[in-house]
Amino acid sequence: MGFFKFNRKKTEVKPSMKRKLFLSLGSLAAILLLSGVISIIEYRRMSDYVSELIAANIKSINLSQKLADLTQEYNDQMLAVVVQNDIAMMPDFHLDYFNAQSDSLRNSFTSQKMLHKVDSVVTSFDAFMKTSLKFDEVFLADSVDTGEWFFGSLQPRYTKLRTDLQSLNEVIHEELQKNSSDFDAGFYRSIIPGVVSVGAGLLLIILLLFFTMSYYVRPIYRISDGIDSYRASSRRHVYEFDGDDQLANINSGVTELIEENIELKKRIKALRDERKGNID
């Protein structure tokens, strides 16, 4: 049992000054590095996600505007036919292009509310197109006034289509504003780890400074003052502090050396006095 205790004490490694400082600075660097990596990853993830949503909203706005321009041009051309009373001016509507833009618009949406609005647009457009297809028949009929039919039957369908398109645009803009707000909120949310890391880093630096001043700088100053006092007035060095590292070993060695020098000076003085007494 005694051998075991002796062997354990002999193999026990005391914490060194270098190791303490390395662990302190290493912990600070690890925390700052980890928080920085988390901030970058969080910001990039949030930025990519919200950027995709915003890009989809912008695409929806552009597609919705194309549909509005296409139907307005067609409606204006039919109005020109009514005003000029010339059936030869009757335009052809690019139905395939309209359907393609409508499908792209539907695929670019990110919420059920927007899908509901585009369904309303498609329904209004179908009603508008079915009514417009009767234009030739109405124009050639002697019993129907073309102007009254245009403004009484076709134009209300077009107005409903424009209203639904406007409502769709409002929903898209609301979604865009929401995503932009989420982007701003996400940005501040992503920089919080960075702010926390900076705060934690400053706190650790203050603690490290206190630790270094208390356990290293102050003892070194006291050891230095003890050496100066011994040189000036041969005073004993009696400073003690907690610890078992190299600095404590230095302090113990300085104390022993000063004590040995004091004892040596006493012996030298005693020998001198003895020799002087013998001569007298």
Side-chain angles (χ1 to χ4, degrees):
M1 181 65 69
F3 174 79
F4 176 76
K5 292 183 179 179
F6 174 79
N7 187 54
R8 184 177 61 181
K9 292 181 179 178
K10 187 176 181 180
T11 57
E12 184 178 355
V13 179
K14 296 181 179 180
S16 63
M17 293 175 60
K18 184 184 295 184
R19 180 177 298 177
K20 289 180 179 179
L21 292 175
F22 177 79
L23 290 176
S24 301
L25 295 176
S27 299
L28 176 61
I31 291 176
L32 293 176
L33 179 61
L34 179 61
S35 60
V37 171
I38 293 175
S39 298
I40 293 174
I41 293 176
E42 176 66 17
Y43 176 75
R44 290 193 62 179
R45 185 190 67 80
M46 177 275 304
S47 179
D48 292 341
Y49 174 71
V50 180
S51 296
E52 290 178 359
L53 293 179
I54 292 176
N57 294 147
I58 294 175
K59 180 181 178 181
S60 299
I61 292 174
N62 293 332
L63 291 173
S64 177
Q65 187 60 44
K66 288 181 179 179
L67 296 181
D69 293 341
L70 189 63
T71 53
Q72 181 177 1
E73 180 183 3
Y74 182 63
N75 185 74
D76 292 342
Q77 289 175 346
M78 286 193 295
L79 178 60
V81 173
V82 175
V83 173
Q84 298 294 330
N85 196 27
D86 186 1
I87 191 63
M89 298 175 60
M90 185 63 188
D92 292 329
F93 188 78
H94 303 288
L95 184 60
D96 293 338
Y97 178 77
F98 183 93
N99 291 332
Q101 297 300 314
S102 179
D103 292 339
S104 298
L105 183 62
R106 185 188 299 273
N107 294 331
S108 66
F109 286 158
T110 57
S111 67
Q112 291 295 325
K113 186 177 181 181
M114 297 168 69
L115 289 174
H116 176 72
K117 291 296 182 180
V118 77
D119 289 338
S120 298
V121 170
V122 172
T123 301
S124 299
F125 173 76
D126 289 340
F128 170 72
M129 285 302 300
K130 289 179 180 179
T131 305
S132 68
L133 293 176
K134 301 177 181 179
F135 187 82
D136 291 348
E137 179 183 347
V138 171
F139 187 87
L140 297 176
D142 296 333
S143 58
V144 180
D145 184 89
T146 306
E148 291 182 0
W149 176 86
F150 181 85
F151 290 104
S153 299
L154 183 60
Q155 202 61 26
R157 304 287 192 279
Y158 175 72
T159 302
K160 178 65 167 57
L161 175 60
R162 294 289 296 185
T163 300
D164 290 340
L165 283 171
Q166 181 63 32
S167 178
L168 174 62
N169 281 330
E170 291 176 356
V171 173
I172 297 174
H173 280 88
E174 289 176 1
E175 190 75 12
L176 178 60
Q177 184 177 5
K178 175 180 176 296
N179 290 332
S180 299
S181 300
D182 290 343
F183 180 84
D184 294 337
F187 172 76
Y188 289 110
R189 191 165 55 247
S190 64
I191 66 174
I192 286 179
V195 174
V196 172
S197 68
V198 172
L202 293 176
L203 179 60
L204 288 175
I205 289 174
I206 294 174
L207 293 176
L208 179 61
L209 179 61
F210 173 78
F211 173 80
T212 305
M213 293 293 293
S214 299
Y215 292 95
Y216 294 103
V217 176
R218 184 180 177 185
I220 290 174
Y221 271 72
R222 293 295 297 273
I223 293 172
S224 178
D225 292 340
I227 294 174
D228 292 338
S229 297
Y230 168 72
R231 288 174 177 173
S233 58
S234 296
R235 293 179 58 185
R236 296 179 181 274
H237 179 65
V238 293
Y239 175 64
E240 295 182 358
F241 59 90
D242 296 331
D244 55 356
D245 55 11
Q246 285 80 2
L247 189 58
N249 187 39
I250 292 173
N251 181 65
S252 177
V254 169
T255 302
E256 291 178 2
L257 289 175
I258 291 177
E259 291 293 330
E260 290 176 359
N261 282 337
I262 291 176
E263 293 296 327
L264 181 60
K265 286 182 178 180
K266 287 182 178 180
R267 291 180 182 179
I268 293 174
K269 183 179 180 181
L271 289 174
R272 287 178 180 174
D273 291 342
E274 182 181 354
R275 183 177 299 178
K276 185 178 180 181
N278 292 334
I279 294 175
D280 293 339

